[in-house]
């Protein structure tokens, strides 16, 4: 009877365990599928938020590039005006060859543009004063 009880008990327990195990495995499967679905939804939400963030950063960078290009063009126009005024001041000096217009310096630092512009005014005034002194002596 021990063998029969053991065999029957094991068979009954195994059968009940299989049915109980199947239910438990199905519940565990549903739980895992639910967790995977939740993780996928959270990942999708994070990716969408990150996409919006990246698009906003790209938009801000494009606006920054546009503003920098406009500032560069304004600075170049300002430098051309100063150069034109300087060239006009020395046009009466027959012994001075003005040469070609200056080219932008590719190594110039954009954040120092204001300092560069501020350096132009005193240099221009110094040139103007020098030309005036030369003209006075020439008379």
């Amino acid at each position: 009877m021990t063998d029969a009880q053991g065999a029957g008990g094991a068979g009954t327990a195994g059968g009940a365990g299989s049915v109980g195990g199947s239910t438990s495995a199905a519940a565990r499967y549903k739980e895992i599928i639910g967790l995977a679905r939740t993780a996928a939804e959270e990942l999708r939400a994070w990716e969408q938020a990150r996409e919006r963030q990246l698009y906003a950063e790209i938009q801000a960078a494009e606006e920054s590039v546009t503003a920098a290009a406009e500032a560069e063009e304004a600075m170049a126009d300002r430098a051309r005006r100063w150069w034109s005024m300087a060239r006009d001041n020395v046009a009466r000096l027959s012994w001075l060859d003005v040469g070609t217009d200056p080219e932008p310096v590719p190594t110039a630092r954009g954040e120092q543009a204001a300092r560069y512009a501020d350096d132009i005014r005193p240099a221009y005034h110094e040139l103007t004063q020098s030309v005036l002194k030369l003209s006075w002596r020439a008379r």
Side-chain angles (χ1 to χ4, degrees):
M1 224 184 186
T2 310
D3 293 330
Q5 284 179 347
T12 309
S18 297
V19 173
S22 295
T23 305
S24 178
R28 182 71 180 140
Y29 175 76
K30 286 181 180 179
E31 180 185 354
I32 291 169
I33 292 300
L35 290 172
R37 182 177 296 122
T38 301
E41 289 171 356
E42 288 175 0
L43 178 62
R44 188 177 307 114
W46 178 84
E47 286 175 336
Q48 289 171 345
R50 181 69 174 143
E51 178 187 28
R52 287 189 297 274
Q53 179 187 13
L54 290 174
Y55 278 124
E57 289 176 13
I58 289 169
Q59 181 66 32
E62 287 174 347
E63 290 171 2
S64 178
V65 167
T66 301
E70 290 171 357
E72 179 183 12
E73 183 57 36
M75 182 60 70
D77 185 52
R78 187 174 176 185
R80 281 190 292 271
R81 284 195 315 264
W82 280 107
W83 180 254
S84 177
M85 291 187 318
R87 188 178 47 229
D88 290 345
N89 274 328
V90 297
R92 295 176 291 162
L93 304 174
S94 59
W95 50 267
L96 181 65
D97 181 27
V98 177
T100 62
D101 288 355
E103 293 292 322
V105 177
T107 58
R109 310 280 305 180
E111 61 272 4
Q112 294 183 6
R115 187 181 68 90
Y116 296 149
D118 291 342
D119 290 346
I120 292 173
R121 182 180 303 269
Y124 173 76
H125 287 298
E126 187 177 335
L127 171 71
T128 303
Q129 292 303 312
S130 297
V131 169
L132 287 174
K133 288 178 185 175
L134 286 172
S135 296
W136 179 257
R137 289 185 184 147
R139 288 186 185 169

